[in-house]
Amino acid sequence: MDKRFTIFTYGCQMNRYDTETITGYLNQEGYESCDDPARSDLILLNTCSIRDKSEQKVFSQLGRLRKLKRSNPDLKIGVCGCFATREGEGIARKQPDVDLIFGTQNIDKLPELLKGLEGGPTYDVDPLEPEFANLAPIRRNDGLSAYVSIARGCDNFCAFCVVPHTRGPEWSKPSGLIVEEIEAAVGEGFREINLLGQNVNSYGKKVPGELTFGGLLRRLDRIDGLERIRFMTSHPQDCDKDMISAMADCEKVCEHLHLPVQSGSDEVLRRMERGYTVDEYLSKVDLFREQIPDGVLTSDVIIGFPGETDEDFEGTLRVLKKSRYDNIYMFKYSPRPGTKAQSMADQVPEEVKAERFNAVQELQREISGKLHRGLEGGVVEVMVEGPVARKASEDANCGGSGGKLVQISVVSPKFAGRSRGNHRVNFYVEGGNPRPGDVVEVKVLRGALHGLEGISPPGAVVMEEWAT
Ligand code: SAH
Ligand code: SF4
Ligand code: F3S
C-alpha cells in the first residue's frame, strides 16, 4: 500500500514551489498526498526563517504534532526549508520527535534521504551545488498560475536578511531548462507563470553566454499557449532598462513590478547594504512609469531598522508618496541570527516600531484607495478564475464610489479573477459564462482598498446609475 504524507508550507512563493517539487519526489517514491495529518505516515514542515515569528511557528506546530507521534510511533516527522537549513540538527535537539531534517539545497536528494529514514533519524543540510541536468519532478497545485523558479539563492547579503544563509549562493537555472519547464506546465493547462528568484534582475549575469533577465522575458514571451508572465522579486540595484523595456515590449509580461524599497533614508539604505540611494531608486520608478504608463508598482518596507530616526522614517513616508505604490508589504524589523544588523547598536524599541507601522499603514491605505478609485470607469483585462458564491445582499447591484449605486440590468452571475496589474477583480457577467482561464474585459465600477468590482462585457450592462 502507498504511504501517505502531509506537508505544511510556511513563508514565500519560493517555499510553495519547493513544496511542489518535494511532492513530486514523494509521489515518485510511492507516497500519496493526504490532507489529514492523523492518517499520514510522514508529516513535513517546509519552514521559513525570515522573521523571528516565522521560526516560532515551527516549534508551535511541532508541539501540536507530538500527540500524533505518541498515538502513532511509526509516524515520521520531517522539517525542511529555510529554518531547517539555518538551524540544522539543532531542531532535533530541541524537539527529539523530529526524524528527518533537510535543507533547501538538499531537495534533490530526497529519494536517498527517505531510504536513510528507514534506518533511523536522517539529517542533511549540507549545501549542495545544483546540477540542473534535468527537470526535477514537480507536482503543481491546481490552478491557472504555475510557479517556476529561475534562480536559487542570493549573493546580496542585505544586512537584515537571513535568506543568503538559508538558500545559499545564487545559481541561475539554464534558460533552456526554464523553457522546457514552462512548456510542460502549459501542456498541463497552466495559463500563467510566475517566475521566482530573490533577485530576478541578476539572472544569468554570472553565467557566460546565458540570457539576461530581459532576454529571458523576450524568449518566454514566444511560448505558445502561455497567456501571462509575472515575476518576482526585482532588486532595485539591478533593475535596469533591459528589463523594463522587455516588460514594455512583451505582450505576455504583465504590467506589474514589485520593487522593494525597504527604506526611504539614504543612511538606512547604506547600513542595510542595499546598494542604491533614494534618488537612484526613484529614477527606476520614473523609468518604469515612463515606459509603462498604466503599470502597477508594489513594494516591501521595513520599519524600525537599527538606528532608524524619526527623520529617516519621514523619508520612508516621502518615498511612499512619491512612488504611489498600489500596495506594499510592511514588516517590523526582526533581528536575525548571523546577519550584520543583528548586532548593530540602537535597536528601535517595539513601541516606536508599532507607532511607525501604523503611520505607514494609514498613509498606504489612503494611497491604495485613491489609486483604485482612479480605475473606476476604465477597462481592465481579467483572467477568469471561477464563479464567486453570491451573498443575497449582493444580488444585482454593486456599491459604487462616493455613495453611488450601480444597478445591473439582469441578475448576472458573479466571477472572480485577476487583472494584468494583479488586482483581484470580482465582476458580473452578462450573457454566457466564462470558463476558468478565459480572458475577458471588465469595466471597473468600484475600486476598493483590496480589489476591484466591475462588469463584463464593458459596454453591455449598466442600465441606470443614481446617487443615493
Ligand atoms: N529578495 C527580496 C526579498 C525577500 S524577503 C528583495 O531583495 O527584495 C521578503 C521581504 O521580507 C523583504 O523585502 C523585506 O522587506 C522583509 N524582510 C527580510 N528580512 C527581514 C527582517 N529581518 N525583518 C523584517 N523584515 C524582513
Ligand atoms: Fe535578502 Fe537582500 Fe537577497 Fe533579497 S536581495 S533575499 S533582501 S539578501
Ligand atoms: Fe522565503 Fe522565508 Fe525562506 S520568505 S526564502 S521561506 S526565509
Side-chain angles (χ1 to χ4, degrees):
M1 194 193 69
D2 269 1
K3 290 188 171 181
R4 285 184 289 258
F5 76 97
T6 303
I7 179 159
F8 294 94
T9 309
Y10 304 85
C12 66
Q13 286 109 325
M14 201 66 91
N15 255 17
R16 284 185 232 157
Y17 177 80
D18 286 350
T19 286
E20 293 178 344
T21 308
I22 291 167
T23 302
Y25 275 118
L26 286 171
N27 288 165
Q28 216 175 53
E29 297 301 308
Y31 284 78
E32 86 184 66
S33 295
C34 162
D35 288 340
D36 182 4
R39 291 172 51 238
S40 294
D41 304 285
L42 170 69
I43 299 176
L44 281 178
L45 274 56
N46 190 6
T47 61
C48 173
S49 201
I50 199 81
R51 284 168 286 277
D52 186 50
K53 262 195 204 150
S54 325
E55 296 189 354
Q56 299 307 330
K57 279 188 198 162
V58 181
F59 284 114
S60 322
Q61 179 69 328
L62 286 173
R64 282 192 288 272
L65 294 176
R66 289 191 81 173
K67 274 192 221 124
L68 286 181
K69 182 93 174 176
R70 268 194 224 118
S71 58
N72 172 14
D74 292 335
L75 169 68
K76 303 285 183 208
I77 295 180
V79 184
C80 57
C82 287
F83 181 43
T85 315
R86 198 185 75 62
E87 189 76 7
E89 283 189 48
I91 297 178
R93 279 196 292 276
K94 286 185 201 148
Q95 249 309 350
D97 288 336
V98 172
D99 308 278
L100 172 67
I101 298 173
F102 60 96
T104 52
Q105 295 157 83
N106 313 93
I107 295 173
D108 297 341
K109 281 167 79 180
L110 197 51
E112 222 176 285
L113 296 174
L114 289 171
K115 281 192 192 85
L117 191 57
E118 287 162 16
T122 302
Y123 312 131
D124 189 353
V125 293
D126 290 341
L128 196 72
E129 223 173 89
E131 283 180 20
F132 292 133
N134 295 300
L135 287 180
I138 186 156
R139 181 60 217 262
R140 297 184 191 281
N141 282 338
D142 294 338
L144 298 167
S145 188
Y147 294 123
V148 176
S149 144
I150 62 166
R152 289 193 190 174
C154 182
D155 292 338
N156 278 19
F157 289 92
C158 301
F160 52 80
C161 185
V162 79
V163 172
H165 308 268
T166 66
R167 291 200 168 257
E170 184 187 288
W171 294 97
S172 296
K173 196 186 271 182
S175 50
L177 218 52
I178 296 174
V179 171
E180 202 183 309
E181 183 169 344
I182 295 173
E183 284 174 345
V186 170
E188 280 177 48
F190 289 95
R191 304 274 284 144
E192 176 179 288
I193 49 151
N194 215 317
L195 306 174
L196 302 178
Q198 295 300 341
N199 177 1
V200 292
N201 303 92
S202 65
Y203 177 81
K205 282 190 180 162
K206 290 162 198 153
V207 187
E210 186 50 282
L211 296 172
T212 60
F213 184 59
L216 181 68
L217 289 178
R218 288 176 198 276
R219 171 66 191 88
L220 303 183
D221 200 47
R222 303 204 311 263
I223 294 182
D224 285 338
L226 181 63
E227 183 67 37
R228 287 180 170 181
I229 301 171
R230 299 187 187 281
F231 58 87
M232 77 161 40
T233 298
S234 287
H235 193 297
Q237 177 190 288
D238 300 295
C239 163
D240 55 12
K241 277 192 186 136
D242 172 59
M243 180 199 75
I244 293 182
S245 64
M247 275 184 92
D249 294 344
C250 295
E251 251 176 51
K252 293 176 185 171
V253 178
C254 291
E255 296 75 18
H256 169 215
L257 180 61
H258 185 65
L259 195 65
V261 66
Q262 312 296 2
S263 166
S265 150
D266 282 344
E267 174 54 22
V268 172
L269 286 172
R270 190 186 61 75
R271 277 184 293 112
M272 284 179 165
E273 300 190 29
R274 285 291 284 179
Y276 52 86
T277 62
V278 175
D279 282 349
E280 281 163 359
Y281 178 88
L282 290 172
S283 70
K284 314 249 165 154
V285 171
D286 287 345
L287 185 67
F288 174 69
R289 298 278 185 217
E290 205 179 284
Q291 299 254 325
I292 304 163
D294 294 332
V296 166
L297 190 67
T298 55
S299 192
D300 292 347
V301 171
I302 293 182
I303 290 140
F305 185 77
E308 183 188 74
T309 62
D310 285 343
E311 210 185 329
D312 293 325
F313 176 66
E314 288 298 321
T316 298
L317 296 179
R318 266 198 306 279
V319 165
L320 258 53
K321 287 182 196 154
K322 284 194 178 151
S323 302
R324 287 175 291 119
Y325 297 118
D326 194 89
N327 211 341
I328 57 169
Y329 295 96
M330 303 170 274
F331 306 102
K332 288 183 207 157
Y333 168 71
S334 166
R336 307 310 301 124
T339 61
K340 282 196 193 151
Q342 187 200 20
S343 50
M344 284 181 183
D346 297 331
Q347 298 282 331
V348 175
E350 272 311 308
E351 55 284 11
V352 176
K353 283 186 200 167
E355 223 171 82
R356 291 179 183 166
F357 187 92
N358 290 341
V360 170
Q361 192 170 41
E362 200 176 313
L363 172 62
Q364 186 55 43
R365 282 198 173 147
E366 203 183 304
I367 297 171
S368 299
K370 242 188 225 163
L371 286 175
H372 294 173
R373 282 195 299 278
L375 297 172
E376 290 174 2
V379 173
V380 290
E381 186 201 283
V382 175
M383 188 186 287
V384 181
E385 282 167 10
V388 172
R390 192 201 313 233
K391 292 189 210 119
S393 61
E394 285 179 338
D395 270 359
N397 71 53
C398 44
S401 64
K404 276 185 176 175
L405 278 180
V406 179
Q407 170 115 13
I408 308 302
S409 63
V410 288
V411 182
S412 322
K414 201 174 177 188
F415 288 81
R418 274 198 184 263
S419 70
R420 288 178 66 95
N422 211 23
H423 296 111
R424 166 146 293 285
V425 186
N426 284 351
F427 58 101
Y428 295 93
V429 175
E430 267 206 353
N433 282 344
R435 286 165 312 168
D438 283 354
V439 173
V440 298
E441 290 201 315
V442 173
K443 180 172 179 188
V444 180
L445 300 176
R446 177 169 182 254
L449 194 58
H450 299 294
L452 311 175
E453 282 214 337
I455 189 118
S456 180
V461 204
V462 181
M463 292 269 287
E464 287 177 65
E465 220 175 312
W466 71 95
T468 50

